[in-house]
Amino acid sequence: MAKNEEAIDWCQRGIAEVQKTMTVFAPDNNEQMKALKALLIKCEEAHKREQQRVEREKKAEKEKLSKKNTRFADEKALEVMKTRGIKREADLSGAEELTGWEHLQITIDSESGEELQLPVIVAFSEVMMTELVEKFGENQPIGQLLEEVLAEPKPWDTEGHYSPDKVEVYVELKGGAADATSASIARIKSTSTLSKLFAHPKYVMPTFPLLQIISTSSPFRAVFLERYKQQQQ
């Protein structure tokens, strides 16, 4: 595209120079003018075609990305999230690589007609394991989710650190205290809801909400909090 623009500029300057010397007594200059004008038209047409090609590629890429991002939420849910200003990561294409997620979607509760129903990812960072709650209402207390996920002792929790009354819930926020590009965390009370989380100015939802479950009785809690403290320095 840059070469076309240069060629157009060259033709326009050439035409301007020829016009300065054009007279009825200089037929050669008239022929030069015709040739330059013909070349200018070709360059402009080539430039236009190139612009159209670039626009088509941009549109196709945008549609491709949009298709990937809408795969995990139905149209009504997307409309509600947009209306309420719920921020979501722009590119969710990486989620397509997660086996078993194909059927998951953010939907709207059929009874209320407005409450979001969401899959929620629960992460146990201490043991680098995750669990998936396929549907959870945005207005349900987070404590209900903890009761569901921690209803039975985990096989890996040999010391009994993880029970609803011994854990805290954290979410990652976009932008730390000193650097808007760094990550920070916020604790969510068990009485709070996803709906309140979505209203946080620094919360940006990934494919689905991701909750970090940390035990208050485990030494890992200090390691986890220190990790984010260092990121904000």
Side-chain angles (χ1 to χ4, degrees):
M1 189 179 293
K3 290 183 178 180
N4 289 331
E5 291 174 347
E6 291 176 4
I8 291 171
D9 181 64
W10 182 85
C11 289
Q12 289 174 337
R13 285 189 284 107
I15 290 172
E17 289 298 319
V18 172
Q19 282 179 329
K20 294 178 182 178
T21 59
M22 276 186 61
T23 67
V24 293
F25 305 107
D28 290 343
N29 288 351
N30 291 335
E31 292 301 317
Q32 288 180 7
M33 178 64 75
K34 290 179 181 179
L36 285 170
K37 285 184 176 180
L39 182 58
L40 177 60
I41 291 172
K42 289 183 178 180
C43 290
E44 288 176 337
E45 289 176 346
H47 183 60
K48 185 177 181 179
R49 287 194 298 271
E50 179 67 11
Q51 283 182 315
Q52 292 172 339
R53 182 189 66 79
V54 171
E55 288 301 317
R56 285 196 301 270
E57 290 181 354
K58 287 182 179 179
K59 184 178 179 180
E61 183 63 27
K62 186 176 181 180
E63 290 176 350
K64 182 179 178 182
L65 182 58
S66 177
K67 185 176 181 180
K68 289 179 177 179
N69 290 359
T70 57
R71 178 177 176 179
F72 298 103
D74 66 23
E75 291 184 7
K76 192 169 183 180
L78 287 171
E79 184 180 337
V80 168
M81 288 190 287
K82 182 178 180 181
T83 301
R84 288 169 50 188
I86 297 175
K87 296 182 287 294
R88 202 172 184 213
E89 289 184 358
D91 186 1
L92 307 179
S93 56
E96 294 186 336
E97 301 173 3
L98 299 175
T99 305
W101 285 38
E102 296 82 1
H103 66 291
L104 299 175
Q105 274 200 327
I106 299 174
T107 58
I108 296 294
D109 177 59
S110 58
E111 293 185 5
S112 68
E114 57 183 21
E115 180 184 2
L116 294 172
Q117 298 283 326
L118 309 98
V120 178
I121 304 166
V122 179
F124 299 95
S125 297
E126 182 171 4
V127 291
M128 299 180 67
M129 295 184 69
T130 60
E131 292 188 19
L132 177 67
V133 177
E134 293 201 8
K135 183 177 289 188
F136 191 74
E138 65 169 320
N139 294 322
Q140 292 178 257
I142 296 297
Q144 288 186 15
L145 183 142
L146 295 177
E147 292 288 346
E148 178 181 341
V149 173
L150 300 173
E152 299 292 336
K154 301 299 179 185
W156 43 261
D157 185 21
T158 56
E159 298 182 16
H161 289 308
Y162 287 82
S163 60
D165 61 332
K166 292 182 180 179
V167 297
E168 294 174 337
V169 181
Y170 292 89
V171 294
E172 189 171 282
L173 305 177
K174 298 295 183 181
D179 183 356
T181 63
S182 66
S184 59
I185 54 172
R187 181 186 170 190
I188 302 179
K189 295 181 179 180
S190 60
T191 55
S192 191
T193 63
L194 291 176
S195 179
K196 291 180 180 179
L197 171 62
F198 297 153
H200 194 292
K202 288 185 179 180
Y203 181 72
V204 180
M205 189 196 305
T207 307
F208 304 122
L210 172 63
L211 306 182
Q212 299 273 3
I213 310 299
I214 305 297
S215 172
T216 56
S217 62
S218 170
F220 178 76
R221 180 178 181 274
V223 176
F224 175 80
L225 296 178
E226 181 63 24
R227 180 192 306 165
Y228 279 94
K229 181 180 178 182
Q230 290 177 354
Q231 288 181 7
Q232 294 181 62
Q233 291 179 346

